[in-house]
Amino acid sequence: MKKSSKKNVPHKSNNKNVLYWAAGALLFAAGFLALGRYWGHQENNYDPYQALKGYESSRHAFMVKSSEVSVNMAQRAVEALQKGKLNEAIEDCKTSIDIFPIDAKPYILLTKIYLMTGQEQKIYDTLTLAGRSYPNFDNIVGIIDDGSLDKIPLDGPQDNVFLANFPENKKMAVSFMFDDGEANVYHALPTFEKYGYRATIPVVAGFVADKSNDPFWGSWAEWRDAASRGFEIANHSMYHRDSVNLHGKDFDIAIDQSKEIIEKNVGHKVTAYVFPHDSYTDEAVSRALRKHEVVRTPEFLRPFYDREVEIVLGGPHVSIETGERLVDIGLKRRLWLVLKCHGVTEKRTMRSFKSITPEFLEAYLSYIHSRSDDIWVDTFSNVFEYMSRRALTKIETKGFTEDTIDFVLHNDRSREKLSVPLTVVIRVQPGESVESANGANGRKFKAWNCAADKICVDVDAYDEKVHVQY
Ligand SMILES: [Zn+2]
């Protein structure tokens, strides 16, 4: 093998991509000229919040007026786009959503703008936002076309030896989370086990039923059983109060005491805290992180893995096709898809407001399983464990020859053996196949050709020299 090919390749300039986007944005604006004519015009000095004044007294009148004002704002966004004022268009869309979050149009406009301007993370943030309300989610996801997505650069590692995004160098990770701990979720666990998958169930400690067969909440016996079968039970507070309203000692109950109660009853350590209503303050986050390893917020997770995406899966406007589409996008874009679910039931009750049916779950897991070579499905905390290890671990190359390479993994914070091995990827010439990967005293590591020009090695120890022969 030629050693010159092992040199790091510098980052390519993104100028070409900028041109693509500019051209795309022009085409895009032209398209909106036509749409704008169709949707009509709106004067400029319109204050949406002022327009709502006087309607507060009647809930119904306020809803109707909010809807009307929201449509006006979406129209104004279209007009801003026609004039090439992207930022104004984005602000108008956000206001439109803020006032009446149920209409799909402003989400669609935002998604298109972010798609055309290459702001990929904001596309996912828009989907996350849409999941909080009841817009037509299928229509929003449906406008993400592959041609535009492919034009957004996907920065990969440039080194010749690097840590894989996911174990076994898979292309994406999926974590299912069933917030609130409904009893029907316990009955859906065998569907996960059938495919060898595990999910996370964030339970509300104060709501868990004392006895099984509760019509709504899962019981301690059920969650204890789930945990013993490898499912993760996470902390979703004591009484599901919005963290924004908590102060001082409230946090002790909502965060610390609920954790103790769950651990005592389930018999497993709780590592993840999930904020009720996905609502949190800086204080709430720091309180939760005192006794938990991880919280489910993009701000906390993305420094560990910037393609972490949280999307609601469930409700009448998320079809199985949309669920599958999210997986297809995830594979293409190397996402860690955190799917926020609620119940698994045929019944639509007020409480099970964003449930999926057992048939949906079966079909969806089957779809994911058909791509199991590329998709890692695991609990929220297990994926986070890999992500945080990966982010804190450095590879030191100790030397190489024509057909060997020696390297060591270092982690300043930890020297303990890894519970989940980190997958190290080595670039080689196409066709070169791995012979062995040995640690100290001839200890063998799992090594295999994970692509025509790549060798993968699973390493579960720090500070141990790994010698790879190929
Ligand atoms: Zn909840």
Side-chain angles (χ1 to χ4, degrees):
M1 186 172 97
K2 273 194 181 165
K3 282 293 106 41
S4 58
S5 69
K6 284 211 168 184
K7 282 210 183 102
N8 291 356
V9 183
H11 281 272
K12 278 205 186 115
S13 152
N14 282 340
N15 285 347
K16 212 163 121 195
N17 292 303
V18 170
L19 278 176
Y20 275 136
W21 295 341
L26 275 175
L27 278 174
F28 179 59
F32 273 101
L33 276 173
L35 275 176
R37 240 172 259 133
Y38 175 72
W39 275 332
H41 294 271
Q42 186 68 46
E43 74 250 49
N44 273 333
N45 52 359
Y46 179 74
D47 179 349
Y49 294 97
Q50 193 63 39
L52 283 171
K53 288 264 160 68
Y55 289 87
E56 296 93 339
S57 54
S58 154
R59 192 176 150 79
H60 178 72
F62 188 74
M63 288 282 281
V64 172
K65 188 65 184 174
S66 297
S67 168
E68 182 196 312
V69 171
S70 176
V71 168
N72 285 346
M73 292 312 291
Q75 283 176 356
R76 200 166 86 169
V78 171
E79 291 194 10
L81 272 176
Q82 290 170 359
K83 294 175 189 148
K85 295 178 177 170
L86 277 187
N87 290 336
E88 270 181 37
I90 289 168
E91 286 314 308
D92 286 348
C93 285
K94 286 182 178 170
T95 307
S96 175
I97 290 168
D98 183 46
I99 287 176
F100 194 74
I102 297 166
D103 185 11
K105 195 198 285 178
Y107 298 98
I108 290 175
L109 287 171
L110 271 185
T111 306
K112 283 209 171 203
I113 292 169
Y114 293 142
L115 194 56
M116 298 312 296
T117 52
Q119 300 181 78
E120 187 179 9
Q121 200 71 67
K122 289 189 175 170
I123 296 173
Y124 307 134
D125 291 343
T126 305
L127 294 179
T128 302
L129 188 65
R132 298 180 75 132
S133 306
Y134 286 88
N136 194 320
F137 199 77
D138 290 336
N139 286 357
I140 302 167
V141 174
I143 64 126
I144 303 174
D145 66 282
D146 287 32
S148 305
L149 208 53
D150 290 343
K151 282 179 193 141
I152 303 172
L154 185 68
D155 287 336
Q158 305 294 323
D159 301 320
N160 285 303
V161 186
F162 58 92
L163 290 169
N165 287 341
F166 307 110
E168 300 176 356
N169 202 30
K170 291 193 178 194
K171 290 181 178 157
M172 78 176 296
V174 182
S175 299
F176 285 85
M177 301 187 82
F178 292 91
D179 290 14
D180 306 338
E182 297 182 21
N184 54 50
V185 172
Y186 176 72
H187 299 291
L189 302 187
T191 312
F192 279 91
E193 288 170 321
K194 177 178 157 187
Y195 294 102
Y197 298 153
R198 296 295 182 269
T200 296
I201 304 133
V203 303
V204 183
F207 294 174
V208 177
D210 289 328
K211 288 196 177 118
S212 298
N213 299 321
D214 184 86
F216 191 71
W217 303 111
S219 68
W220 287 122
E222 287 167 338
W223 300 136
R224 187 162 52 242
D225 178 52
S228 73
R229 287 150 66 181
F231 290 88
E232 178 188 13
I233 308 300
N235 185 359
H236 194 35
S237 84
M238 185 69 93
Y239 298 117
H240 212 274
R241 285 181 64 192
D242 192 325
S243 306
V244 172
N245 302 323
L246 303 182
H247 305 281
K249 280 210 163 19
D250 296 342
F251 287 113
D252 300 343
I253 298 167
I255 293 171
D256 302 341
Q257 289 182 21
S258 54
K259 179 178 190 275
E260 285 168 25
I261 290 174
I262 296 167
E263 289 181 340
K264 182 174 76 92
N265 284 285
V266 169
H268 283 253
K269 198 173 181 315
V270 169
T271 52
Y273 188 82
V274 176
F275 291 99
H277 312 284
D278 276 324
S279 173
Y280 46 88
T281 59
D282 287 347
E283 188 189 6
V285 169
S286 69
R287 286 296 301 254
L289 287 172
R290 276 194 209 166
K291 294 196 175 173
H292 298 79
E293 313 276 320
V294 53
V295 291
R296 190 182 71 193
T297 77
E299 294 82 3
F300 177 76
L301 294 167
R302 285 185 187 159
F304 293 99
Y305 191 68
D306 63 1
R307 292 181 172 272
E308 182 268 344
V309 174
E310 300 167 18
I311 291 175
V312 169
L313 187 81
H317 298 300
V318 181
S319 63
I320 185 71
E321 290 75 20
T322 291
E324 292 173 359
R325 178 75 185 123
L326 293 173
V327 168
D328 295 344
I329 293 170
L331 283 168
K332 203 181 252 265
R333 306 305 297 180
R334 307 291 189 262
L335 302 184
W336 173 18
L337 201 56
V338 176
L339 294 170
K340 300 191 282 193
C341 311
H342 287 86
V344 183
T345 174
E346 300 285 357
K347 291 185 209 142
R348 290 244 163 77
T349 66
M350 279 305 286
R351 277 167 163 182
S352 284
F353 71 113
K354 275 190 175 160
S355 52
I356 53 174
T357 65
E359 293 72 32
F360 183 109
L361 183 65
E362 168 67 45
Y364 198 42
L365 293 183
S366 161
Y367 183 81
I368 290 171
H369 190 72
S370 71
R371 287 150 185 76
S372 57
D373 286 353
D374 291 329
I375 304 177
W376 179 35
V377 180
D378 212 329
T379 62
F380 178 67
S381 286
N382 280 355
V383 177
F384 175 71
E385 159 91 8
Y386 185 92
M387 290 309 170
S388 56
R389 293 280 188 172
R390 174 182 174 273
L392 297 169
T393 298
K394 304 230 169 341
I395 303 181
E396 187 193 349
T397 305
K398 289 283 195 187
F400 45 76
T401 65
E402 283 286 308
D403 47 16
T404 66
I405 182 160
D406 292 349
F407 65 84
V408 178
L409 298 190
H410 294 296
N411 184 336
D412 291 342
R413 296 222 201 141
S414 172
R415 286 170 185 276
E416 63 196 86
K417 211 165 179 289
L418 292 148
S419 53
V420 181
L422 286 165
T423 298
V424 176
V425 184
I426 303 159
R427 288 186 213 277
V428 295
Q429 298 295 322
E432 285 185 309
S433 58
V434 66
E435 279 173 20
S436 62
N438 295 319
N441 308 319
R443 195 159 80 89
K444 294 221 178 302
F445 292 106
K446 184 186 162 197
W448 71 104
N449 282 75
C450 49
D453 60 348
K454 288 187 188 78
I455 289 169
C456 283
V457 185
D458 274 356
V459 182
D460 62 357
Y462 289 118
D463 306 312
E464 180 171 341
K465 191 162 93 174
V466 182
H467 176 77
V468 183
Q469 179 103 36
Y470 49 91

